[in-house]
Amino acid sequence: AQKVTQAQTEISVVEKEDVTLDCVYETRDTTYYLFWYKQPPSGELVFLIRRNSFDEQNEISGRYSWNFQKSTSSFNFTITASQVVDSAVYFCALSAAETGANNLFFGTGTRLTVIP
Amino acid sequence: DVKVTQSSRYLVKRTGEKVFLECVQDMDHENMFWYRQDPGLGLRLIYFSYDVKMKEKGDIPEGYSVSREKKERFSLILESASTNQTSMYLCASSLSGRYNEQFFGPGTRLTVL
């Protein structure tokens, strides 16, 4: 069965520190997609990235980077030089045939607080 | 710009009331979803719809029903609200096809007294 584990419930960092949010997933499917979403205090989830299971290249977008490792079933998210505006709840999600390929299965989220 | 709107940001209802949560998207998306979000549990799928008048149960459909009479609108109905349905409700939409990202509305925080 599918599973997405975000073991870090809450993280606090001081502004300008780097921080990594962990995501470990389980699925029986060989084709699947992984996602990251950000939920700021306003409440609306904002899509950050989608990565398919056949593309293990790391991705960088500004201060954000993602490390996908199939060998450890992990899709970790790093924020470099964190800023107060990065404070939010971050969700990792999985889409696979066993979840219903139109559907997303979410982890429980990690609340990141960036202290000025 | 992609837009999903929900009828209310905050709602307070009494036990036993019938509650309607409305969601509208302007992106011509085929798929629409209703989730509830609770602390420590993340987002859990209640119902989803692939097309007008079509609906599928998600992981926690008990106590809820849905309606999709028009492509852009997806309603969540609590037939008889109970206190354990106090939660944040999030609507989302996506294009048809597999593995697409979903776009979310701002959420409705429902309190049932």
Side-chain angles (χ1 to χ4, degrees):
Chain A
Q2 74 281 1
K3 190 174 182 181
V4 177
T5 301
Q6 294 181 257
Q8 304 151 307
T9 306
E10 296 191 26
I11 301 175
S12 292
V13 298
V14 176
E15 199 170 22
K16 297 183 184 174
E17 287 184 347
D18 298 347
V19 58
T20 295
L21 309 182
D22 297 334
C23 174
V24 175
Y25 63 92
E26 290 179 31
T27 178
R28 295 172 298 188
D29 293 308
T30 55
T31 300
Y32 53 89
Y33 280 71
L34 296 160
F35 300 75
W36 276 96
Y37 282 83
K38 174 183 180 180
Q39 186 180 39
S42 60
E44 185 172 332
L45 269 79
V46 177
F47 166 73
L48 295 178
I49 191 171
R50 180 181 71 161
R51 176 52 56 97
N52 76 61
S53 54
F54 299 107
D55 182 2
E56 286 194 72
Q57 283 196 2
N58 291 335
E59 180 149 346
I60 299 174
S61 176
R63 295 184 298 107
Y64 294 172
S65 62
W66 290 269
N67 179 246
F68 177 31
Q69 292 198 333
K70 287 178 78 170
S71 60
T72 55
S73 297
S74 65
F75 186 44
N76 296 337
F77 173 30
T78 297
I79 302 174
T80 303
S82 60
Q83 299 177 1
V84 172
V85 294
D86 297 326
S87 296
V89 181
Y90 291 87
F91 290 95
C92 180
L94 168 71
S95 182
E98 64 173 328
T99 69
N102 283 298
N103 298 347
L104 296 177
F105 187 83
F106 286 84
T108 53
T110 297
R111 181 179 299 277
L112 173 65
T113 301
V114 181
I115 303 165
Chain B
D1 203 15
V2 166
K3 196 74 172 175
V4 178
T5 56
Q6 295 184 227
S7 51
S8 306
R9 290 301 304 269
Y10 300 93
L11 208 54
V12 179
K13 296 292 181 180
R14 297 214 172 268
T15 301
E17 281 192 76
K18 190 169 186 175
V19 182
F20 292 86
L21 302 182
E22 306 286 341
C23 175
V24 177
Q25 51 95 3
D26 65 0
M27 299 161 282
D28 202 32
H29 283 171
E30 290 77 14
N31 300 335
M32 296 189 74
F33 307 83
W34 274 107
Y35 295 88
R36 65 177 282 174
Q37 180 180 4
D38 300 289
L41 298 177
L43 279 71
R44 294 178 292 166
L45 182 64
I46 305 171
Y47 267 97
F48 57 98
S49 169
Y50 294 148
D51 202 351
V52 175
K53 296 193 186 295
M54 295 187 69
K55 59 185 179 183
E56 298 282 344
K57 291 180 180 179
D59 299 318
I60 52 165
E62 296 77 21
Y64 304 95
S65 62
V66 291
S67 172
R68 193 167 181 199
E69 297 296 320
K70 293 185 177 182
K71 187 176 184 180
E72 67 271 17
R73 188 180 297 269
F74 192 34
S75 302
L76 180 69
I77 303 158
L78 286 66
E79 295 288 343
S80 178
S82 62
T83 55
N84 63 13
Q85 292 178 310
T86 292
S87 186
M88 169 72 90
Y89 290 89
L90 293 163
C91 176
S93 70
S94 73
L95 289 168
S96 65
R98 300 156 74 90
Y99 312 118
N100 288 317
E101 65 266 36
Q102 296 179 13
F103 296 90
F104 283 80
T108 295
R109 186 166 294 283
L110 172 67
T111 302
V112 183
L113 301 175

